[in-house]
Amino acid sequence: MSTAGRHTRVVTLARRPGPGGPAPEDFTLTERAVPELGAGQLLVRNAFMSVDPSMRGRLEETEKHYTTNFAVGEPLDGSAIGRVLASRVPGIHPGAWVRHRLGWRELAIVEATPGSPAAFSAVDAARAAPSAWLGILGQTGFTAYAGLLRAGKLARGDAVFVSAAGGAVGSAVGQLARLLGAASVIGSAGSVAKCHLLTTELGFDAAVDYRAEPIAAGLGRAAPDGIDLYFDNVGGDHLVAALHALRVGGRVVLCGMISQFTSTAPQPGIDHLIQAVLRRVTLRGFIIRDHEDLRTEFTDRVSGWLRTGELVSRQTVVDGLENASAAFLGMLRGDNVGKMLVRVDPDVEA
Ligand code: NDP
């Protein structure tokens, strides 16, 4: 199949966010020509794309970020999964499912070059639904798994606390912690409905609605004897509350600090770190791309738990590339339960 003359809809960065944070006007839906398919490349029809907190930093000129920042006028990118329409890669045929990083567009040209921004990996769609490969079996679940085991050194019998627990990584952390031997799991989330979901469907022992009361008060009530491990997705007052709740020898997994993206209030000072001294606490930052050696073990174990129903995969699906920027802004506000995804191809089941 030739790509000559084909166009695709893409979302580009129209301008950098203003002082109030990202707004719908910062994004534009436009059309771009699809380049000719070269040797070693695939033409992919994206089915689902992910919206991620890490994109927030990438919208800025020189802000904190995990990879490169976006350029004004250029397409955004991020994790996506889609079906091959045409292939010039030996062994990969039309209809195969591949995961890659060229989301925010309907058609993508990806390539078999490891390390390239356009690199793809094949996924086995018979093992789990395509959308799961961006959520519980994708970076989300993998972040939870590697964060708990590698950075958190989760031990049997631990009391675990995780923030943003109704979101993608957090909902996986709580469930995986239990499956990996934690004695109790507490989560915090920003609504009554999310807290209800944590304790009724996802197996958490307790949940704290941080919008209804200060997180320190809620955590103190939920864990009167303290915690061993805090998985931090939020930073700010959550991190301070956890430092005061940790037992001697406790551990903190520094996964993300979304409150720094979404709050305009001043952040609590670093002086609370004296608690880490007094309690001999280990604080460990980590980035998931450093733990690829765990990928096969992770995929095997987590797909097994999904099959047996021991693990529940929650996702919120927004339809249409034209709604992708709204999905991203909604995720920052907490509109999502579980993984926030955009369905780019309406013919694929969520
Ligand atoms: P989520 O699905 O958890 O979505 C973000 C959630 O953050 C929202 O749903 C909202 O839930 C919550 N939130 C927003 N603002 C605040 C705030 N001020 N205080 C507390 N909670 C807030 O996103 P992900 O699961 O994709 O990511 C979770 C964290 O993991 C992020 O910090 C991300 O950067 C990090 N991450 C780190 C990786 C790494 O390699 N280190 C890899 C992947 C993710 P609510 O309704 O509860 O407020």
Side-chain angles (χ1 to χ4, degrees):
M1 179 195 283
S2 169
T3 50
R6 286 190 86 142
H7 284 74
T8 180
R9 294 199 301 167
V10 299
V11 179
T12 61
L13 179 63
R15 62 178 195 195
R16 302 219 180 266
E25 302 74 35
D26 300 342
F27 306 92
T28 305
L29 185 66
T30 181
E31 288 218 343
R32 290 285 163 99
V34 177
E36 192 57 47
L37 196 61
Q41 292 186 326
L42 305 172
L43 173 65
V44 175
R45 170 78 168 97
N46 283 338
F48 293 95
M49 52 162 274
S50 167
V51 291
D52 298 290
S54 59
M55 294 188 57
R56 174 65 189 92
R58 298 181 67 199
L59 298 175
E60 301 293 338
E61 184 96 52
T62 54
E63 259 293 306
K64 43 195 172 268
H65 60 76
Y66 296 83
T67 56
T68 50
N69 284 6
F70 297 121
V72 174
E74 292 302 318
L76 305 177
D77 61 65
S79 298
I81 186 166
R83 248 181 313 201
V84 175
L85 291 180
S87 171
R88 292 195 62 194
V89 178
I92 305 261
H93 303 290
W97 286 92
V98 293
R99 194 168 47 176
H100 58 85
R101 295 208 48 83
L102 293 182
W104 296 88
R105 66 205 76 193
E106 284 164 337
L107 297 175
I109 300 253
V110 299
E111 57 195 33
T113 317
S116 152
F120 71 86
S121 58
V123 300
D124 182 358
R127 218 167 169 185
S131 57
W133 291 96
L134 291 184
I136 195 81
L137 281 171
Q139 288 309 77
T140 287
F142 193 34
T143 299
Y145 186 83
L148 282 169
L149 290 180
R150 278 273 165 81
K153 303 213 178 308
L154 178 72
R156 198 155 281 281
D158 272 352
V160 175
F161 170 48
V162 55
S163 49
V169 172
S171 61
V173 166
Q175 296 184 79
L176 288 174
R178 181 68 93 178
L179 286 165
L180 293 166
S184 60
V185 181
I186 298 159
S188 68
S191 71
V192 174
K194 282 189 187 179
C195 287
H196 182 71
L197 173 86
L198 296 182
T199 52
T200 54
E201 271 187 51
L202 301 184
F204 284 64
D205 297 282
V208 179
D209 178 355
Y210 75 89
R211 288 191 210 269
E213 63 178 327
I215 184 61
L219 181 58
R221 197 179 53 254
D225 300 326
I227 57 173
D228 300 295
L229 175 58
Y230 171 46
F231 196 108
D232 189 18
N233 289 319
V234 164
D237 55 356
H238 273 78
L239 179 54
V240 171
L243 281 173
H244 285 269
L246 279 158
R247 295 174 181 151
V248 170
R251 286 145 280 138
V252 178
V253 179
L254 297 171
C255 176
M257 306 245 159
I258 197 163
S259 70
Q260 292 187 3
F261 295 152
T262 57
S263 300
T264 45
Q267 299 291 311
I270 195 114
D271 55 323
H272 292 274
L273 274 178
I274 188 62
Q275 297 302 326
V277 177
L278 301 177
R279 296 155 199 261
R280 287 72 119 196
V281 163
T282 304
L283 295 111
R284 172 94 190 262
F286 87 107
I287 292 196
I288 191 56
R289 65 171 170 260
D290 299 335
H291 301 280
E292 276 303 321
D293 59 300
L294 280 180
R295 177 75 73 171
T296 306
E297 163 192 320
F298 155 77
T299 306
D300 289 345
R301 293 183 88 181
V302 169
S303 58
W305 285 324
L306 273 178
R307 236 187 348 267
T308 58
E310 289 167 278
L311 189 57
V312 178
S313 164
R314 290 296 301 234
Q315 56 191 30
T316 302
V317 178
V318 169
D319 274 307
L321 187 66
E322 63 281 9
N323 295 317
S325 52
F328 169 67
L329 298 175
M331 178 274 302
L332 292 177
R333 282 194 306 267
D335 290 355
N336 57 310
V337 173
K339 178 71 193 161
M340 181 68 109
L341 293 174
V342 178
R343 177 162 39 191
V344 183
D345 182 347
D347 296 332
V348 178
E349 262 187 46

